């Protein structure tokens, strides 16, 4: 009796803790044919890319998700993304990728940016929030950074006027600003978010960021129940690290979005755990949320200690995008449980595990 | 340790800790496509009896949530001969319909309009999710059964004729085509929802050819899903097992009539037909109505007193929101309904309470618009620790809002003071020095 009562007690205690994970939805009715498998283009990438995309492949197979991957090898030093990869993404409409290394200074332009521009993936979304079980210096962080992905400072238009003088053009158009603002407010509406904050530096770049702000204000008029305010980017960075709970959804042009997303991801637990994706009208590319071009150091690659959590959560985003919500729920729950238990963590979260150990823990936690 | 664990265990089991109903946290991996928020049109058929009451409830809740659906209403009554052409056109255009029950006369008279709608739009699968709702105590625990019922043929073919006066033949038609597609839908549902078992319900010992064909189709489809257990059960044994040991069933696939009976039984053991969500789906269209017993329009007394239970149709409309690809609104609605049922204060007569439909709807509206953060109790505020005061700003600003909208349910202290003491006239005395 004593031995059984101990195990019974443990079970009761575990259920009483209530890990706060959602139970199965009772209102899911698939359409006939919803279970048909989908093809997804997979680009492993450089550095830690193959390691973490392999993690996703393993977990998808363990879940028997109706997904099969078409792998393509693309490396950062290619001059452009091979045309068959673009064909494949245009056919499948969805791509999962690891980071592509971009050389600093001279050399080829970033293939990550090239992919986004060619497929017109105009919105990049990063969801930065405190994960239960992962204590950080900041609490109550729940920020979604929606960043314009195709223009701004990343237009890639630079020229040397005279030797020793270089001009870099930052391009802001009404068309792109309007559609990113529309996407941000639509996201806030669909997710019952209360506030959208536009991040800008219009006191200095009066015309460029001024145009961005005008577009945001116009779209804000159509959503009277959502609060809209604006914040200058330097004050924004300070507020992010002082009082992050004041931010909800943030809509930003390209460069500020990059910085704000990395900062927000950092205060909430690190870029190794935040999910994110890039979406356009027709295609979607899923990669690590913030700092997607980061391919890690050689040491991490050699020791296989990269953190797969961010790409796993982004692949849950991909499953939801492909309309497989129950698989997305299972994957999200399993990952959250592994993080909450805290036993298997990679170095950036304070642990010592390898990527494979994290993957095994996630597979073990799948229902 | 042995002695202590025994007493701890018995104490724990005697007063179980409050069931951890945590409002499901927002999903962190939802990224809408651009244009996903565009409003959709849905055909609405209020129906007869309690129909207008419960569909009115759904309309109210949808508006309170600002859900991107708007309804096109059409009046259809059970005693019409057939569903009007414009209603069918509208459903074909919108692809989704929400309806209350249409009363079908017993015996002679017109054939069921509910059935007509399903056949004409070829809505071949009816799904009823019978599950124990937390907070609603029933005689059976651990019920989690999904009944998938073939919707277009079987005993409901409507082919009857009088051979000679006094002798009537009713034809039950079973085809391989329909049996195969319902079996495929059932296994696909089980695969997508990580269900472990599919049970086919039949009476093939008696109707060897008809139900035998149904079973053959199910067996063939089962071969394509080796990870899912498949078994068969005769319908009379099934009814007995449902009421004796319902936890053995997971997904059940059935022909038309058995499905009707099994769905009603399963709904009954899990809490009643007033709370179970369900829907009908075909390759192109979908109709959402109360889960089990959808043709039930209630009795006149319920209509007069407005005490019909709107929960089933509200959960079915959450199913509809998910079908229309608005998962966040579906989550909010489902959470709000579950919260209201668990709190147990607002229940209609079939769940043991005494509220009207409107009171339940108000409770659900309030639950769906509240923030996920719980309000702290008075006394939790520690003056020396300013962090504990944070929640109180929520209470005070909520009280301020309520005052502005004049919608406060609880009296403020000033109101209570005024009620307690009648106003006393005060005399001001001045002394002039």
């Amino acid at each position: 009796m004593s031995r059984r009562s101990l195990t019974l007690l443990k079970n009761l205690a575990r259920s009483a803790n209530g890990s706060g994970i959602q139970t199965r939805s009772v209102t899911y009715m698939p359409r006939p044919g919803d279970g048909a498998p989908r093809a997804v283009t997979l680009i492993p990438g450089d550095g830690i890319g193959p390691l973490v995309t392999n993690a996703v492949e393993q977990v998808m197979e363990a879940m028997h998700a109706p997904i099969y991957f078409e792998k393509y090898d693309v490396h950062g030093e290619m001059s452009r993304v091979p045309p068959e990869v673009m064909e494949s993404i245009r056919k499948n409409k969805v791509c999962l990728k690891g980071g592509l290394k971009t050389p600093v200074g001279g050399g080829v332009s970033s293939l990550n940016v090239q992919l986004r521009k060619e497929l017109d993936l105009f919105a990049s979304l990063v969801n930065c929030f405190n994960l239960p079980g992962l204590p950080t210096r900041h609490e109550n962080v729940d920020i979604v950074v929606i960043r314009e992905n195709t223009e701004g400072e990343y237009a890639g238009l630079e020229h040397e006027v005279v030797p020793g003088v270089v001009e870099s053009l930052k391009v802001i158009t009404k068309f792109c600003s309007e559609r990113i603002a529309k996407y941000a407010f639509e996201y806030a509406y669909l997710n019952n978010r209360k506030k959208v904050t536009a991040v800008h530096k219009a006191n200095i770049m009066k015309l460029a960021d001024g145009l961005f702000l005008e577009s945001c204000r116009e779209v804000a008029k159509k959503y009277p129940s959502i609060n809209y305010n604006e914040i200058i980017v330097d004050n924004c960075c300070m507020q992010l690290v002082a009082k992050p709970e004041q931010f909800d959804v943030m809509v930003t042009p390209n460069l500020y979005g990059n910085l704000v997303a990395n900062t927000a991801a950092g205060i909430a637990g690190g870029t190794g755990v935040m999910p994110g994706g890039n979406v356009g009208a027709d295609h979607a590319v899923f990669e690590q949320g913030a700092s997607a071009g980061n391919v890690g150091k050689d040491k991490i690659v050699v020791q296989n200690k990269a953190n797969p959590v961010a790409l796993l959560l982004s692949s849950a985003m991909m499953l939801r995008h492909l309309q497989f919500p129950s698989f997305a729920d299972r994957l999200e729950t399993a990952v959250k449980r592994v993080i909450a238990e805290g036993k298997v963590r990679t170095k950036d979260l304070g642990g010592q595990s390898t990527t494979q150990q994290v993957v095994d823990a996630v597979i073990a936690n799948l229902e």
Side-chain angles (χ1 to χ4, degrees), chain A:
Chain A
M1 174 57 200
S2 60
R3 243 176 281 153
R4 260 186 42 111
S5 53
L6 272 176
T7 46
L8 280 171
L9 255 178
K10 275 200 211 138
N11 284 338
L12 254 181
R14 205 188 311 145
S15 66
N17 275 339
S19 35
I21 313 292
Q22 41 199 127
T23 49
R24 231 200 293 254
S25 152
V26 303
T27 55
Y28 173 51
M29 181 176 79
R31 303 164 190 236
D34 261 2
R38 290 286 302 267
V40 169
T41 310
L42 177 68
I43 299 177
D46 299 317
I48 59 170
L51 199 55
V52 291
T53 49
N54 183 320
V56 171
E57 283 180 288
Q58 286 185 44
V59 174
M60 289 291 164
E61 221 183 285
M63 276 205 306
H64 303 297
I67 299 224
Y68 59 93
F69 291 107
E70 289 178 6
K71 263 205 205 194
Y72 287 97
D73 253 336
V74 180
H75 294 288
E77 63 271 358
M78 296 181 178
S79 65
R80 44 188 310 261
V81 181
E84 68 258 14
V85 182
M86 301 301 299
E87 269 311 308
S88 164
I89 303 182
R90 290 212 169 95
K91 179 175 61 109
N92 297 331
K93 306 236 180 282
V94 173
C95 168
L96 182 74
K97 67 183 268 282
L100 294 169
K101 199 175 156 101
T102 311
V104 175
V108 298
S109 57
S110 163
L111 289 185
N112 297 315
V113 179
Q114 213 186 70
L115 207 58
R116 290 169 200 156
K117 281 197 189 159
E118 231 169 295
L119 298 168
D120 200 24
L121 304 170
F122 64 86
S124 159
L125 193 149
V126 184
N127 200 341
C128 309
F129 52 92
N130 276 126
L131 277 163
L134 196 58
T136 56
R137 293 182 186 89
H138 299 82
E139 317 241 301
N140 285 327
V141 180
D142 189 2
I143 303 175
V144 176
V145 183
I146 296 181
R147 154 195 179 191
E148 210 287 331
N149 228 355
T150 51
E151 55 167 24
E153 299 82 352
Y154 287 45
L157 300 164
E158 297 183 306
H159 66 129
E160 194 168 15
V161 185
V162 292
V165 178
V166 172
E167 271 179 3
S168 174
L169 289 173
K170 159 176 170 165
V171 181
I172 299 273
T173 59
K174 185 167 173 61
F175 175 66
C176 293
S177 308
E178 220 176 62
R179 66 181 180 175
I180 193 67
K182 256 188 239 157
Y183 183 77
F185 277 93
E186 189 181 56
Y187 179 90
Y189 165 61
L190 286 174
N191 287 279
N192 201 23
R193 297 267 186 172
K194 307 283 186 282
K195 190 156 82 162
V196 173
T197 308
V199 178
H200 66 98
K201 189 82 178 156
N203 47 350
I204 305 296
M205 285 175 268
K206 296 185 198 293
L207 287 187
D209 287 349
L211 179 58
F212 177 77
L213 284 184
E214 258 180 51
S215 318
C216 291
R217 284 177 200 147
E218 269 183 46
V219 176
K221 288 197 200 114
K222 304 203 184 99
Y223 291 86
S225 57
I226 299 179
N227 286 343
Y228 167 72
N229 64 344
E230 302 163 356
I231 186 169
I232 300 184
V233 61
D234 47 11
N235 186 22
C236 171
C237 291
M238 191 275 282
Q239 297 290 339
L240 264 177
V241 297
K243 241 179 64 158
E245 56 267 14
Q246 62 181 303
F247 294 112
D248 197 353
V249 177
M250 306 174 78
V251 59
T252 82
N254 212 332
L255 178 66
Y256 312 147
N258 192 4
L259 310 180
V260 164
N262 275 282
T263 313
I267 58 175
T271 53
V273 291
M274 300 299 149
N278 308 282
V279 71
D282 310 310
H283 310 280
V285 171
F286 295 89
E287 45 188 1
Q288 183 170 298
S291 192
N294 184 358
V295 294
K297 302 189 287 236
D298 290 334
K299 195 164 77 166
I300 307 183
V301 180
V302 159
Q303 294 178 340
N304 288 344
K305 284 192 172 184
N307 197 347
V309 171
L311 202 65
L312 281 170
L313 287 177
S314 299
S315 64
M317 221 183 233
M318 176 184 77
L319 286 169
R320 235 177 264 286
H321 184 88
L322 291 168
Q323 315 290 358
F324 297 130
S326 40
F327 290 98
D329 284 338
R330 283 169 62 200
L331 178 50
E332 198 180 316
T333 312
V335 172
K336 279 181 171 170
R337 229 180 259 163
V338 167
I339 295 187
E341 281 174 8
K343 284 186 285 206
V344 191
R345 285 190 185 169
T346 47
K347 190 146 177 251
D348 59 328
L349 300 181
Q352 281 294 318
S353 316
T354 63
T355 309
Q356 190 54 45
Q357 287 171 337
V358 178
V359 170
D360 293 334
V362 169
I363 294 181
N365 266 300
L366 283 174
E367 282 167 8

